[in-house]
Amino acid sequence: MMGIRFILMFANVVVPACWVLTGFSLWAGSLMFGIHMLTLWAIFWPSCRWWGDVTCEFKTDEPEVWLTIDDGPDGDNTRVVMDLLEERKAKATFFFVGAACRKYPGLPAEVKRRGHGLANHTENHRAYAFWCMGPRQISRELTACSASIEKLSGSNPDLFRAPAGFRNCFVHPVLARLGMKLVGWSARGFDGSRYDVEKIISRIEKRIRPGAIIVLHEGRVSDDGIPLICKTLPRVLDLLELQGLKAVIPKIS
Ligand SMILES: [Zn+2]
């Protein structure tokens, strides 16, 4: 996959130059359009591995899944989420945003104490800007978030999820330098952009199986004032129970 990464990066420099040097020829313009489309695919398709590895499922012989919760912490709502998990003896990994950790400084340690996982979801969660950041800015987003989590919990996260899953060619070299792994998902209901609980659950249900990585989001509130995750999480836990699946935190190697 490293090969594809370098070919795409190289083509993004050479092909536009060819287009100019050939007097804006049609063939070079078409080639440039194709290269740009492939590059956009690699950036915006969360499970695409052209830039480097992304864990979208985990290997297991047991009836178990990995529940991941993005965009927190969200104050007392995160505590309600942990209460819901504990009622069903489920464990989850929280992909926290650094700035939100500083807003709710007690939560990273509480998540750890209650036996859940902590992971990095950037310092500022700039979903519409992260994918076009340069290596220095990406590095700052990751290191600042990890520093906040470590300072507030004592744990240095080794897992990272890009905001909305969008990332460019500079992310993997930064992850390699920091000794971190990129985590995606295999079951999402688009609860970060829709509010229809039935649609969210029906989409996740179709994708639940042993080794699945399920993603839910904190921080969204339904029209009736109830946090969306307080409606979706119990339904996901019901589905898991129905299918005899346990929510665990796997070792990702
Ligand atoms: Zn997010």
Side-chain angles (χ1 to χ4, degrees), residues 118-120 146 156-160 178-183 252:
L118 283 166
N120 183 321
S146 286
N156 187 19
D158 59 357
L159 302 176
F160 171 71
L178 299 175
M180 301 181 82
K181 284 183 191 310
L182 182 66
V183 177
I252 300 299

Side-chain angles (χ1 to χ4, degrees), residues 16-64:
C18 279
W19 187 52
V20 174
L21 291 172
T22 58
F24 305 104
S25 66
L26 183 63
W27 71 266
S30 308
L31 191 58
M32 190 171 71
F33 178 77
I35 294 293
H36 285 169
M37 288 299 108
L38 291 173
T39 306
L40 291 174
W41 174 264
I43 291 171
F44 293 116
W45 189 249
S47 58
C48 180
R49 292 183 168 85
W50 292 350
W51 299 140
D53 195 32
V54 47
T55 302
C56 295
E57 285 186 304
F58 65 100
K59 279 197 172 66
T60 180
D61 296 325
E62 302 297 320
E64 56 192 22

Side-chain angles (χ1 to χ4, degrees), residues 70-71 95 97 121 125 127 161-164 217:
D70 287 7
D71 296 0
F95 285 80
V97 175
H121 197 39
H125 200 275
R161 177 172 283 151
H217 292 81

